[in-house]
Amino acid sequence: QDESTFLQRDYGIYLSDSWQILPILNAEIGVRAEKNDYTDQTFVHPRIAVNLDVTDDLRLTGKAGTYSRFPDVGKVVKVIGNPNLKSPESTHFALKADYQFNDDWKSSVEVYHKSLDKLPASIDEALDTANLRYVNDTSGKAYGVEWVLEKALSDGWYGWASVSWSKSERTDERTGVTTEYYLDTPLILNMVANYKLNERWTFGARLTGRSGAKYTPIVGIKENPDYPDHYIPDYGELNSDTLPVYHRLDLQADYSFKAWGQEAKWTFAVLNALNAKNVSGYYFAPDGNETPENYTIEEEEGMGIFPSIGFQISF
């Protein structure tokens, strides 16, 4: 049991300039300087974006830049974390093509690559003689491609759809072992359709589907060293298995009006309208009669069908 006060300040300045190199070629060059008083770190991050208008309807964009962020609070605060952790850093590259079919329809394809460095890694308690708990000994990378199709409002309809494929992994620099990231869901599909009936009512639907997330499977049970005659899970290789495919349909109706002279809106929604049984993980379910040869593993399900009402007002 402990109590501590956590205070950190960020200071930053960002400068950018846009150059019209040619009538069809534009470049935006920027730099961000920032300092954090908690980690006592200073960064200078260069960034650039180049736009090429191949035709009136087709634009190509290339981007590159470096980034950093403050460490997760739970890993850097005293007592449960390491106050000397440094900020994770990354370098991003992206290429994108935008195409305008007509006034209503447009599409884009983007590929990206991100390299990650100085991510936190936990230390085995038995080996943590200095009581650090975490060190900056993890690196990683993420890359993928995303296709988006958008429809502007016409004839009452508007919406968008996207399909993306991605890959993300982490490397423990202490051992050299690379594993798939637990949030790695290679395929993601989103479809959103909205119908504006009149100035007051808008109806919408969103369908989401994605590959199952990675998880570390329970491969058996073993005796609990702290509680005799009790068992705890025995886990397999880190993030070596995949959850079932996830899918969810959300429905929504918005009613816009004036309240006290201000823009306001009621929102009526049904989340997971099909009541999909999406598995979010598995857990050991002891009943007092388990043995290493006979035990129960149960599914943990995400949110079921969930009605919702919301109110929004803009001042």
Side-chain angles (χ1 to χ4, degrees):
Q1 301 290 325
D2 198 82
E3 181 178 314
S4 62
T5 299
F6 181 84
L7 177 64
Q8 62 97 9
R9 295 185 180 91
D10 285 299
Y11 307 90
I13 184 171
Y14 182 79
L15 302 173
S16 67
D17 190 21
S18 182
W19 295 354
Q20 194 67 43
I21 303 171
L22 295 171
I24 62 170
L25 183 63
N26 170 273
E28 185 173 351
I29 299 175
V31 62
R32 176 179 174 85
E34 58 186 39
K35 177 178 176 58
N36 184 272
D37 64 351
Y38 191 93
T39 62
D40 194 27
Q41 286 180 285
T42 300
F43 296 98
V44 177
H45 293 303
R47 295 164 191 175
I48 184 172
V50 178
N51 300 302
L52 175 63
D53 293 318
V54 181
T55 68
D56 290 341
D57 301 319
L58 176 61
R59 164 172 281 199
L60 302 180
T61 302
K63 296 181 179 181
T66 63
Y67 299 82
S68 61
R69 67 171 179 83
F70 189 75
D72 295 336
V73 173
K75 294 180 175 63
V76 77
V77 72
K78 293 188 297 183
V79 180
I80 62 172
N82 179 0
N84 295 315
L85 274 185
K86 299 303 181 182
S87 296
E89 301 176 42
S90 64
T91 302
H92 297 193
F93 298 94
L95 291 173
K96 185 178 182 182
D98 290 282
Y99 188 77
Q100 188 83 37
F101 295 101
N102 51 45
D103 291 341
D104 294 341
W105 293 90
K106 64 179 180 179
S107 183
S108 66
V109 176
E110 182 175 20
V111 295
Y112 65 89
H113 183 280
K114 303 177 183 180
S115 60
L116 312 167
D117 196 22
K118 293 184 174 57
L119 301 173
S122 60
I123 305 176
D124 188 313
E125 189 174 9
L127 303 176
D128 191 13
T129 56
N131 203 30
L132 297 175
R133 289 171 286 276
Y134 296 97
V135 290
N136 290 106
D137 282 347
T138 300
S139 62
K141 61 182 178 180
Y143 51 91
V145 57
E146 181 179 47
W147 170 74
V148 179
L149 179 67
E150 299 178 70
K151 182 187 182 301
L153 176 61
S154 64
D155 301 324
W157 290 96
Y158 63 99
W160 56 272
S162 69
V163 179
S164 64
W165 176 89
S166 63
K167 188 72 174 174
S168 183
E169 58 189 35
R170 299 291 185 266
T171 299
D172 189 333
E173 300 295 341
R174 299 164 298 183
T175 62
V177 174
T178 298
T179 57
E180 294 180 292
Y181 189 44
Y182 79 100
L183 291 179
D184 191 34
T185 52
L187 286 174
I188 300 177
L189 166 69
N190 283 294
M191 297 180 65
V192 175
N194 296 287
Y195 180 67
K196 190 174 180 63
L197 179 64
N198 50 44
E199 292 302 314
R200 293 190 179 277
W201 284 102
T202 300
F203 300 91
R206 175 171 182 156
L207 176 64
T208 300
R210 65 171 183 256
S211 305
K214 296 294 179 182
Y215 75 100
T216 303
I218 298 174
V219 297
I221 60 173
K222 58 186 178 181
E223 289 192 14
N224 190 329
D226 299 318
Y227 296 92
D229 300 323
H230 290 75
Y231 292 92
I232 57 176
D234 188 12
Y235 292 94
E237 186 178 346
L238 179 66
N239 297 335
S240 59
D241 217 337
T242 305
L243 295 173
V245 171
Y246 176 100
H247 68 281
R248 174 174 141 182
L249 175 66
D250 297 337
L251 304 176
Q252 183 169 311
D254 295 331
Y255 179 76
S256 301
F257 63 103
K258 293 277 189 178
W260 302 287
Q262 309 296 328
E263 296 292 335
K265 180 173 67 175
W266 282 104
T267 296
F268 308 92
V270 180
L271 307 181
N272 193 12
L274 300 179
N275 199 29
K277 306 298 183 182
N278 292 307
V279 178
S280 57
Y282 300 94
Y283 62 93
F284 168 47
D287 59 9
N289 299 313
E290 60 276 345
T291 67
E293 295 76 29
N294 185 17
Y295 55 91
T296 301
I297 302 296
E298 294 188 356
E299 297 178 346
E300 183 176 349
E301 293 184 356
M303 179 188 69
I305 187 170
F306 188 86
S308 170
I309 299 177
F311 175 74
Q312 176 182 316
I313 185 169
S314 300
F315 296 95

